[in-house]
């Protein structure tokens, strides 16, 4: 039987406990900024709310409870350093530019070496590696001559060479509150309440400003020279994509997600082969961050309603089930672009006004918006396209149907 330590449940450090290292968000010197420590090997060292690995922390708990993992295991970070160099950039030191990830998350072993020597268990929240992408659509594009094999970006077998980064969320609560224009105390209270009281420190420890939320993270795929991403003299193509497992992985044709993702990758490849660089940002925000269960319930409601699936009821069905159309909060999305040092996007592969406005309002210039070609829209996704056009979800120069627009704006949620 596995042995377990006695645990004392408390949300306040004891009088004899050493105060944790303070975090000065936005400070340029890493030591002055301070590390984000969410590991559990020494509770006195913790200076964040929550723990590392987000939602995967639950599986770590199962592994420890079942005796398969030692609770005091400390990661051996030998040879885990980034496979490509990213930053630092001026945006890393602007506390308003980055509030939901740790810009130092990939280089903690390097910049906080002195703390490691003192026994602090600091975990990376970003990992950068090299990889191949193999998608049948890309191989088909090569066969049709849409993409060319250059041996450097696209290989003979159709494989795409990329640099990719995995990013776990690290929320600076004062910055998140400012970004959403709410009081930090109200944000903390609602987070505590809506997560069933999982993290009492949200309301009992105002001295802790960082929160490692139990949510999915973000993956970045870079096509071309990584250093060129932050170079405004190089053309940059960007596709910001929110997860859609049914389409992205399993090819469902009720939406445009996988076709648009593939189109974005193609534009990134073409831009890189023209001497620029491409970036795909993939957020784990399934179903507009409403979740896959809610998404499938909405699918049923849309298809079973009187008259079948209709553009005028597209968003109303979502609101009936979820109470809101969208919970992605694109206001926080540009942070990853600022982490990459981006100041200008030449080709933004998206028709979403919410994404466009969030990026532009954060100080990044967008030169051109690239829509999805009509021939890539699946037949069953025409309702989605018509509904989004009518609702002003995006603009492509066409005038929306006034009848549908008035019906959507005047809809009732009952």
């Amino acid at each position: 039987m596995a042995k377990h330590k006695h645990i004392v449940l408390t949300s306040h450090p004891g009088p004899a406990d050493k105060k944790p290292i303070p975090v000065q968000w936005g400070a340029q010197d890493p030591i002055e900024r301070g590390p984000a420590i969410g590991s559990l090997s020494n509770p006195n060292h913790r200076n964040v709310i929550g723990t590392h690995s987000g939602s995967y922390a639950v599986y770590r708990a199962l592994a420890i409870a079942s005796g398969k993992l030692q609770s005091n295991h400390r990661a051996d970070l030998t040879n885990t350093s980034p496979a490509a160099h990213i930053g630092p950039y001026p945006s890393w030191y602007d506390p308003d530019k980055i509030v939901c990830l740790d810009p130092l998350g990939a280089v903690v072993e390097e910049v906080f070496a002195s703390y490691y020597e003192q026994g602090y268990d600091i975990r990376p929240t970003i990992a950068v590696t090299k990889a191949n992408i193999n998608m049948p659509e890309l191989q088909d594009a090569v066969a049709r001559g849409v993409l060319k094999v250059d041996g450097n970006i696209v290989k003979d077998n159709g494989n795409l060479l990329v640099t990719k980064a995995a990013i776990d969320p690290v929320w600076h609560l004062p910055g998140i509150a400012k970004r959403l224009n709410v009081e930090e105390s109200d944000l903390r209270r609602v987070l505590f309440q809506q997560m069933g009281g999982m993290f009492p420190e949200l309301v009992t420890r105002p001295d802790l400003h960082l929160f490692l939320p139990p949510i999915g993270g973000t993956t970045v795929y870079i096509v071309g020279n990584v250093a060129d991403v932050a170079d405004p003299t190089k053309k940059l193509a960007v596709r910001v994509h929110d997860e859609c497992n049914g389409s992205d992985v399993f090819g469902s044709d009720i939406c445009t997600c996988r076709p648009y993702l593939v189109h974005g990758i193609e534009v990134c490849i073409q831009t890189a082969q023209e001497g620029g660089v491409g970036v795909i940002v993939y957020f784990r925000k399934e179903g507009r961050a409403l979740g896959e269960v809610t998404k499938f319930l909405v699918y049923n409601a849309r298809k079973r309603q009187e008259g079948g699936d209709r553009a005028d009821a597209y968003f109303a069905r979502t609101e009936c089930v979820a109470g809101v159309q969208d919970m992605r909060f694109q206001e926080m999305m540009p942070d990853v672009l600022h982490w990459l040092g981006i100041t200008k996007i030449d080709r933004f592969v998206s028709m979403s006004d919410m994404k466009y406005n969030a990026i532009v309002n954060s100080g990044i210039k967008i030169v051109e918006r690239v829509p999805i070609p009509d021939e890539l829209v699946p037949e069953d996704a025409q309702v989605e396209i018509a509904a989004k056009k009518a609702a002003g979800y995006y603009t492509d120069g066409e005038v929306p149907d006034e009848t549908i627009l008035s019906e959507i704006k005047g809809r009732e949620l009952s």
Side-chain angles (χ1 to χ4, degrees):
M1 178 179 291
K3 294 182 179 180
H4 301 285
K5 296 180 180 179
H6 177 67
I7 299 175
V8 177
L9 298 177
T10 178
S11 37
H12 291 277
D17 292 342
K18 182 180 178 181
K19 288 185 177 182
I21 298 170
V23 175
Q24 303 296 326
W25 198 253
Q28 189 162 352
D29 178 74
I31 299 301
E32 181 183 354
R33 206 303 301 267
I37 306 175
S39 50
L40 301 167
S41 52
N42 187 331
N44 292 334
H45 289 173
R46 285 170 48 80
N47 63 354
V48 305
I49 301 166
T51 184
H52 290 297
S53 301
S55 56
Y56 293 101
V58 175
Y59 292 102
R60 182 172 66 239
L62 293 180
I64 293 173
S66 64
K68 295 182 178 180
L69 173 66
Q70 293 297 314
S71 61
N72 62 351
H73 172 74
R74 183 169 178 173
D76 180 354
L77 299 177
T78 303
N79 294 327
T80 63
S81 59
H85 185 73
I86 296 175
Y89 300 111
S91 52
W92 287 25
Y93 313 119
D94 186 335
D96 292 329
K97 292 290 186 185
I98 299 178
V99 299
C100 57
L101 61 88
D102 182 0
L104 302 177
V107 291
V108 293
E109 189 180 19
E110 173 188 342
V111 300
F112 297 123
S114 60
Y115 283 122
Y116 277 98
E117 293 172 359
Q118 298 175 54
Y120 285 90
D121 185 6
I122 306 168
R123 308 286 175 91
T125 56
I126 300 176
V128 183
T129 189
K130 300 280 189 178
N132 292 316
I133 291 179
N134 189 305
M135 300 176 72
E137 292 94 337
L138 298 183
Q139 295 176 350
D140 180 63
V142 170
R144 291 185 289 111
V146 175
L147 297 177
K148 62 182 180 181
V149 173
D150 59 11
N152 182 35
I153 295 173
V154 179
K155 294 293 197 178
D156 290 336
N157 58 3
N159 277 7
L160 170 63
L161 301 183
V162 299
T163 300
K164 64 180 183 180
I167 304 173
D168 280 342
V170 177
W171 286 6
H172 181 240
L173 291 173
I176 295 282
K178 184 177 180 181
R179 185 78 59 86
L180 299 181
N181 196 29
V182 299
E183 293 293 331
E184 183 186 347
S185 58
D186 291 338
L187 173 64
R188 286 173 171 265
R189 174 178 52 80
V190 175
L191 284 170
F192 171 70
Q193 291 173 338
Q194 292 301 313
M195 289 188 293
M198 288 172 60
F199 301 101
E201 295 89 351
L202 285 167
V203 292
T204 63
R205 295 292 305 275
D207 59 309
L208 300 182
H209 301 299
L210 298 186
F211 178 38
L212 308 185
I215 59 175
T218 307
T219 310
V220 176
Y221 297 84
I222 300 173
V223 183
N225 186 358
V226 173
D228 290 343
V229 173
D231 185 348
T233 69
K234 301 288 186 179
K235 280 198 171 182
L236 172 65
V238 172
R239 166 66 183 168
V240 174
H241 192 90
D242 295 309
E243 181 181 32
C244 178
N245 185 63
S247 178
D248 296 342
V249 179
F250 294 100
S252 168
D253 66 351
I254 197 171
C255 63
T256 60
C257 294
R258 183 179 175 98
Y260 218 156
L261 175 61
V262 172
H263 180 56
I265 294 174
E266 290 181 355
V267 173
C268 285
I269 294 172
Q270 292 165 347
T271 304
Q273 290 182 331
E274 293 167 1
V277 62
V279 172
I280 309 293
V281 183
Y282 195 91
F283 285 94
R284 295 316 191 285
K285 294 181 179 178
E286 180 69 55
R288 302 191 206 120
L290 302 172
E292 201 166 34
V293 170
T294 294
K295 175 191 276 190
F296 289 4
L297 293 174
V298 171
Y299 284 168
N300 287 344
R302 283 171 51 191
K303 291 179 178 295
R304 290 171 179 168
Q305 65 189 337
E306 184 178 353
D309 198 5
R310 310 190 314 274
D312 64 291
Y314 179 86
F315 288 110
R317 292 300 91 201
T318 301
E319 288 193 72
C320 285
V321 176
V324 66
Q325 291 181 9
D326 195 310
M327 291 198 305
R328 285 175 288 183
F329 287 93
Q330 300 293 5
E331 300 97 323
M332 296 191 290
M333 170 267 292
D335 289 35
V336 64
L337 304 179
H338 289 295
W339 174 67
L340 292 168
I342 293 173
T343 56
K344 178 174 69 72
I345 298 171
D346 296 276
R347 297 168 179 165
F348 182 52
V349 192
S350 172
M351 295 184 290
S352 168
D353 285 347
M354 288 192 295
K355 292 178 182 178
Y356 173 86
N357 291 336
I359 292 171
V360 171
N361 290 339
S362 78
I364 297 174
K365 180 181 179 180
I366 292 179
V367 178
E368 177 190 2
R369 300 169 71 174
V370 181
I372 185 171
D374 291 339
E375 63 270 18
L376 295 184
V377 179
E379 182 61 32
D380 206 24
Q382 295 295 335
V383 170
E384 172 196 353
I385 292 295
K388 288 182 176 180
K389 281 185 180 180
Y393 194 86
Y394 64 80
T395 53
D396 61 359
E398 295 184 16
V399 179
D401 183 289
E402 292 300 329
T403 301
I404 296 178
L405 182 59
S406 62
E407 289 179 352
I408 291 177
K409 288 185 175 179
R411 65 185 177 270
E412 293 184 358
L413 304 184
S414 58

